[in-house]
């Protein structure tokens, strides 16, 4: 594993690879023992490179966003944990489309949509977690679901390659998606919203 750890440090920088990192510091329930290695990529390119390195070393890995409602045993995790949160949380608005990276929280995307006068993502404003998790599980509340607004995803395959997944290909169902079954990591989502009055959206 030492060779893999050196590769990970080369990819993301030594300061962004932590060993025996307590998972209690990264879950909303504040529980969980240490992860063997905790890796924090700064771009989706680094994310893909980390996955590719783990694959080559036959090392298991897990993805963590905001750690919302995540239960981790006191024994910890014998794997590489890859965090997609603060450093992969970009949000851009172009017309009626919102481009959100996997680490952007649902609340942050809802606020950005509100500020742009775009409706359709209000249902997710109170859902804890990130866009990546919402896409994987087709998060929903109050009659709305992720599949209602997402049109395209950029994903990283288990081999560390990029792939574009359309709304149709995502095969969303109740708390399910094709990405979950295929082991894809959602790196970015494109949402199609509708222009509306900001006051009405806020209400």
């Amino acid at each position: 594993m030492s060779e893999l750890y050196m590769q990970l440090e080369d990819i993301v920088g030594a300061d962004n690879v932590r060993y025996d990192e307590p998972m209690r510091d990264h879950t909303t329930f504040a529980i969980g023992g240490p992860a063997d290695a905790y890796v924090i990529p700064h771009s989706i390119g680094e994310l893909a490179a980390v996955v590719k390195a783990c694959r080559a070393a036959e090392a298991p890995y897990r993805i963590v966003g905001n750690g919302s409602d995540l239960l981790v045993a006191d024994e910890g995790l014998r794997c590489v944990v890859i965090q997609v949160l603060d450093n992969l949380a970009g949000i851009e608005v172009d017309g009626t489309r919102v481009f959100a990276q996997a680490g952007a929280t649902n609340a942050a995307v809802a606020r950005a949509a509100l500020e742009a006068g775009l409706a359709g993502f209000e249902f997710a404003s109170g859902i804890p977690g990130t866009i990546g998790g919402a896409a994987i599980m087709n998060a929903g509340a109050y009659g709305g679901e992720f599949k209602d607004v997402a049109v395209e995803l950029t994903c990283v395959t288990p081999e560390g390659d990029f792939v574009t997944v359309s709304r149709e290909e995502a095969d969303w169902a109740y708390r399910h998606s094709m990405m979950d079954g295929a082991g894809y990591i959602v790196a970015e989502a494109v949402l199609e919203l509708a222009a509306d009055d900001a006051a009405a959206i806020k209400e």
Side-chain angles (χ1 to χ4, degrees), residues 22-181:
M23 289 303 297
R24 65 176 177 269
D25 295 340
H26 305 285
T27 62
T28 56
F29 287 139
I31 63 171
D36 287 345
Y38 193 87
V39 181
I40 308 171
H42 284 74
S43 68
I44 61 175
E46 288 186 0
L47 170 62
V50 168
V51 170
K52 192 165 288 189
C54 290
R55 172 83 174 195
E58 298 183 350
Y61 61 86
R62 291 180 180 270
I63 307 299
V64 172
N66 200 36
S68 302
D69 301 339
L70 185 63
L71 300 175
V72 180
D74 292 340
E75 292 78 10
L77 298 172
R78 305 285 70 80
C79 65
V80 174
V81 174
I82 306 170
Q83 175 189 285
V84 290
L85 187 61
D86 299 331
N87 296 325
L88 293 173
I91 303 170
E92 295 184 11
V93 178
D94 184 6
T96 57
R97 290 201 163 185
V98 176
F99 298 79
Q101 289 185 320
T105 65
N106 294 312
V109 173
R111 284 194 301 271
L114 167 62
E115 292 168 2
L118 296 177
F121 204 65
E122 297 90 326
F123 72 88
S125 62
I127 298 177
T130 59
I131 286 292
I136 288 287
M137 68 172 292
N138 187 27
Y142 307 112
E145 291 183 297
F146 195 82
K147 69 179 180 63
D148 299 333
V149 294
V151 294
E152 187 177 274
L153 305 170
T154 299
C155 299
V156 177
T157 69
E159 293 73 37
D161 299 319
F162 286 110
V163 63
T164 299
V165 178
S166 69
R167 169 185 281 165
E168 294 74 23
E169 292 168 332
D171 192 28
W172 278 298
Y174 183 76
R175 306 299 174 260
H176 171 76
S177 70
M178 175 276 287
M179 295 80 70
D180 187 23

